[in-house]
Protein backbone atom coordinates (compact mmCIF):
# COMPACT_ATOMS: atom_id res chain seq x y z
CA UNK A 1 0.00 0.00 0.00
CA UNK A 2 1.22 3.49 -0.78
CA UNK A 3 1.21 5.99 2.07
CA UNK A 4 0.16 9.42 0.79
CA UNK A 5 1.06 12.57 2.63
CA UNK A 6 -1.82 14.91 3.48
CA UNK A 7 -2.07 17.64 0.82
CA UNK A 8 0.51 16.28 -1.62
CA UNK A 9 -1.86 14.37 -3.88
CA UNK A 10 -1.35 14.93 -7.58
CA UNK A 11 -3.36 13.51 -10.51
CA UNK A 12 -0.23 11.84 -11.92
CA UNK A 13 -0.38 9.46 -8.94
CA UNK A 14 -3.40 7.85 -10.59
CA UNK A 15 -1.33 6.79 -13.60
CA UNK A 16 1.65 5.31 -11.80
CA UNK A 17 2.09 1.56 -12.12
CA UNK A 18 2.68 0.69 -8.46
CA UNK A 19 -0.32 1.09 -6.18
CA UNK A 20 -2.78 2.60 -8.64
CA UNK A 21 -5.87 0.79 -9.87
CA UNK A 22 -6.32 3.00 -12.94
CA UNK A 23 -3.99 1.10 -15.33
CA UNK A 24 -5.62 -2.25 -14.50
CA UNK A 25 -9.10 -0.71 -14.73
CA UNK A 26 -8.27 0.64 -18.18
CA UNK A 27 -7.10 -2.78 -19.35
CA UNK A 28 -10.38 -4.31 -18.18
CA UNK A 29 -12.61 -1.55 -19.58
CA UNK A 30 -10.85 -0.99 -22.90
CA UNK A 31 -12.22 -4.06 -24.76
CA UNK A 32 -15.81 -3.24 -23.83
CA UNK A 33 -15.34 0.41 -24.76
CA UNK A 34 -13.88 -0.52 -28.15
CA UNK A 35 -16.78 -2.90 -28.82
CA UNK A 36 -19.27 -0.15 -27.93
CA UNK A 37 -17.55 2.29 -30.30
CA UNK A 38 -17.53 -0.27 -33.12
CA UNK A 39 -21.24 -1.04 -32.62
CA UNK A 40 -22.09 2.64 -32.51
CA UNK A 41 -20.21 3.35 -35.73
CA UNK A 42 -21.66 0.38 -37.62
CA UNK A 43 -24.95 0.99 -39.41
CA UNK A 44 -27.96 -0.30 -37.46
CA UNK A 45 -28.91 -2.86 -40.13
CA UNK A 46 -25.44 -4.49 -39.85
CA UNK A 47 -24.44 -4.09 -36.18
CA UNK A 48 -27.53 -5.40 -34.35
CA UNK A 49 -28.13 -8.46 -36.52
CA UNK A 50 -24.43 -9.26 -36.16
CA UNK A 51 -25.07 -9.74 -32.43
CA UNK A 52 -28.25 -11.72 -33.09
CA UNK A 53 -30.56 -8.87 -32.06
CA UNK A 54 -33.19 -7.44 -34.35
CA UNK A 55 -34.61 -4.50 -32.44
CA UNK A 56 -32.76 -1.52 -30.95
CA UNK A 57 -35.32 -1.19 -28.11
CA UNK A 58 -34.68 -4.78 -27.06
CA UNK A 59 -30.98 -4.04 -26.88
CA UNK A 60 -31.57 -0.98 -24.72
CA UNK A 61 -33.75 -2.93 -22.28
CA UNK A 62 -31.30 -5.82 -22.07
CA UNK A 63 -28.36 -3.47 -21.60
CA UNK A 64 -30.17 -1.53 -18.88
CA UNK A 65 -31.14 -4.65 -16.93
CA UNK A 66 -27.63 -6.09 -17.33
CA UNK A 67 -26.01 -2.94 -15.98
CA UNK A 68 -28.41 -2.76 -13.04
CA UNK A 69 -27.88 -6.45 -12.20
CA UNK A 70 -24.10 -6.11 -12.40
CA UNK A 71 -24.16 -2.94 -10.30
CA UNK A 72 -26.33 -4.59 -7.66
CA UNK A 73 -24.01 -7.60 -7.52
CA UNK A 74 -20.93 -5.39 -7.16
CA UNK A 75 -22.51 -3.31 -4.38
CA UNK A 76 -23.58 -6.40 -2.44
CA UNK A 77 -20.21 -8.10 -2.91
CA UNK A 78 -18.16 -5.07 -1.87
CA UNK A 79 -20.38 -4.38 1.13
CA UNK A 80 -20.07 -8.01 2.20
CA UNK A 81 -16.29 -7.87 1.83
CA UNK A 82 -16.05 -4.65 3.85
CA UNK A 83 -18.29 -6.10 6.56
CA UNK A 84 -16.24 -9.28 6.86
CA UNK A 85 -12.96 -7.30 6.93
CA UNK A 86 -14.33 -5.08 9.70
CA UNK A 87 -15.28 -8.06 11.85
CA UNK A 88 -11.99 -9.82 11.13
CA UNK A 89 -10.08 -6.72 12.25
CA UNK A 90 -12.24 -6.36 15.36
CA UNK A 91 -11.78 -10.02 16.28
CA UNK A 92 -8.00 -9.72 15.75
CA UNK A 93 -7.87 -6.67 18.02
CA UNK A 94 -9.75 -8.47 20.80
CA UNK A 95 -7.60 -11.56 20.33
CA UNK A 96 -4.48 -9.37 20.69
CA UNK A 97 -5.82 -7.81 23.89
CA UNK A 98 -6.68 -11.26 25.23
CA UNK A 99 -3.14 -12.49 24.54
CA UNK A 100 -1.71 -9.49 26.40
CA UNK A 101 -4.06 -10.16 29.31
CA UNK A 102 -2.99 -13.82 29.42
CA UNK A 103 0.70 -12.89 29.30
CA UNK A 104 0.32 -10.30 32.04
CA UNK A 105 -1.73 -12.67 34.19
CA UNK A 106 0.90 -15.38 33.78
CA UNK A 107 3.74 -13.05 34.74
CA UNK A 108 1.86 -11.84 37.81
CA UNK A 109 1.10 -15.46 38.77
CA UNK A 110 4.76 -16.45 38.32
CA UNK A 111 5.74 -13.65 40.69
CA UNK A 112 3.71 -15.23 43.49
CA UNK A 113 6.36 -17.96 43.83
CA UNK A 114 9.30 -15.59 43.44
CA UNK A 115 12.05 -15.61 46.05
CA UNK A 116 12.69 -11.89 45.49
CA UNK A 117 11.80 -9.25 48.04
CA UNK A 118 8.03 -8.77 48.36
CA UNK A 119 8.34 -5.02 47.78
CA UNK A 120 10.34 -5.53 44.56
CA UNK A 121 7.83 -8.12 43.36
CA UNK A 122 4.96 -5.74 44.16
CA UNK A 123 6.63 -2.89 42.26
CA UNK A 124 7.35 -5.17 39.28
CA UNK A 125 3.76 -6.40 39.11
CA UNK A 126 2.27 -2.91 39.26
CA UNK A 127 4.73 -1.53 36.72
CA UNK A 128 3.99 -4.44 34.39
CA UNK A 129 0.25 -3.82 34.55
CA UNK A 130 0.73 -0.08 33.94
CA UNK A 131 3.02 -0.69 30.96
CA UNK A 132 0.66 -3.23 29.38
CA UNK A 133 -2.18 -0.74 29.85
CA UNK A 134 -0.09 1.93 28.14
CA UNK A 135 0.89 -0.52 25.37
CA UNK A 136 -2.77 -1.26 24.71
CA UNK A 137 -3.59 2.46 24.56
CA UNK A 138 -0.69 3.19 22.19
CA UNK A 139 -1.76 0.41 19.83
CA UNK A 140 -5.41 1.54 19.88
CA UNK A 141 -4.36 5.12 19.14
CA UNK A 142 -2.08 3.92 16.35
CA UNK A 143 -4.95 1.92 14.85
CA UNK A 144 -7.32 4.88 15.10
CA UNK A 145 -4.63 7.11 13.61
CA UNK A 146 -4.13 4.85 10.59
CA UNK A 147 -7.87 4.31 10.14
CA UNK A 148 -8.68 8.02 10.02
CA UNK A 149 -5.58 9.00 8.06
CA UNK A 150 -5.08 11.91 10.43
CA UNK A 151 -1.47 13.03 10.11
CA UNK A 152 -1.24 15.27 13.16
CA UNK A 153 1.97 16.45 14.78
CA UNK A 154 1.14 14.83 18.15
CA UNK A 155 2.77 11.43 18.59
CA UNK A 156 0.76 8.28 19.18
CA UNK A 157 2.15 7.74 22.67
CA UNK A 158 1.06 11.24 23.73
CA UNK A 159 -2.39 10.71 22.25
CA UNK A 160 -2.60 7.39 24.12
CA UNK A 161 -3.15 9.37 27.32
CA UNK A 162 -6.55 10.39 25.94
CA UNK A 163 -7.72 6.83 26.67
CA UNK A 164 -8.44 5.41 30.10
CA UNK A 165 -5.20 4.00 31.55
CA UNK A 166 -4.35 2.11 34.71
CA UNK A 167 -2.46 4.63 36.87
CA UNK A 168 -0.19 6.11 34.20
CA UNK A 169 1.19 8.55 36.78
CA UNK A 170 2.77 5.57 38.51
CA UNK A 171 5.30 5.23 35.66
CA UNK A 172 8.37 7.40 36.16
CA UNK A 173 8.85 10.38 33.84
CA UNK A 174 12.08 9.06 32.29
CA UNK A 175 10.35 5.86 31.15
CA UNK A 176 7.46 7.84 29.69
CA UNK A 177 9.88 10.05 27.75
CA UNK A 178 11.65 6.96 26.41
CA UNK A 179 8.32 5.45 25.30
CA UNK A 180 7.46 8.71 23.58
CA UNK A 181 10.79 8.72 21.69
CA UNK A 182 10.35 5.15 20.52
CA UNK A 183 6.81 5.62 19.20
Amino acid sequence: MIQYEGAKFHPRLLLQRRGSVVPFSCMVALPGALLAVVLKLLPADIGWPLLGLDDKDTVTGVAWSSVISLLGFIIVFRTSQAYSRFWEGTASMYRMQGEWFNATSSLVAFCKLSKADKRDTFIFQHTLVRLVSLLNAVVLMDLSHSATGNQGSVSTSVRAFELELIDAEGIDRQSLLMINEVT
Side-chain angles (χ1 to χ4, degrees), residues 52-65:
L53 301 169
D54 297 329
D55 188 15
K56 188 175 182 180
D57 293 334
T58 305
V59 172
T60 305
V62 168
W64 180 254
S65 64

Side-chain angles (χ1 to χ4, degrees), residues 110-122:
F110 294 153
C111 288
K112 298 289 183 191
L113 300 175
S114 173
K115 292 179 174 52
D117 183 40
K118 292 289 185 190
R119 177 161 168 60
D120 291 340
T121 304
F122 183 79

Side-chain angles (χ1 to χ4, degrees), residues 33-107:
L34 290 175
L35 179 65
V37 168
V38 167
L39 287 176
K40 181 68 176 172
L41 295 178
L42 281 176
D45 57 343
I46 296 174
W48 301 119
L50 183 68
L51 294 174
L53 301 169
D54 297 329
D55 188 15
K56 188 175 182 180
D57 293 334
T58 305
V59 172
T60 305
V62 168
W64 180 254
S65 64
S66 299
V67 167
I68 293 299
S69 299
L70 181 65
L71 185 63
F73 175 75
I74 289 172
I75 288 173
V76 168
F77 179 75
R78 288 183 56 99
T79 304
S80 172
Q81 286 291 101
Y83 186 75
S84 65
R85 284 181 184 170
F86 168 77
W87 282 111
E88 183 180 343
T90 302
S92 295
M93 185 185 64
Y94 281 118
R95 190 170 36 256
M96 173 189 65
Q97 290 175 338
E99 294 292 333
W100 287 343
F101 178 79
N102 288 340
T104 306
S105 299
S106 295
L107 286 171

Side-chain angles (χ1 to χ4, degrees), residues 1 3 15 19-21 25-26 29 43 49 62 68 82 98 102 110 128 131 149-150 157 159 181:
M1 182 168 77
Q3 296 291 330
L15 301 177
S20 179
V21 297
S25 300
C26 289
V62 168
I68 293 299
N102 288 340
F110 294 153
L128 175 69
L131 287 175
N150 187 3
S157 60
R159 290 185 56 231
E181 287 177 13

Side-chain angles (χ1 to χ4, degrees), residues 6 51 101 116 122 127 148 153 156 163 169 171 174:
L51 294 174
F101 178 79
F122 183 79
T127 305
T148 60
S153 62
T156 304
L163 297 176
E169 288 82 22
I171 303 173
Q174 183 182 1

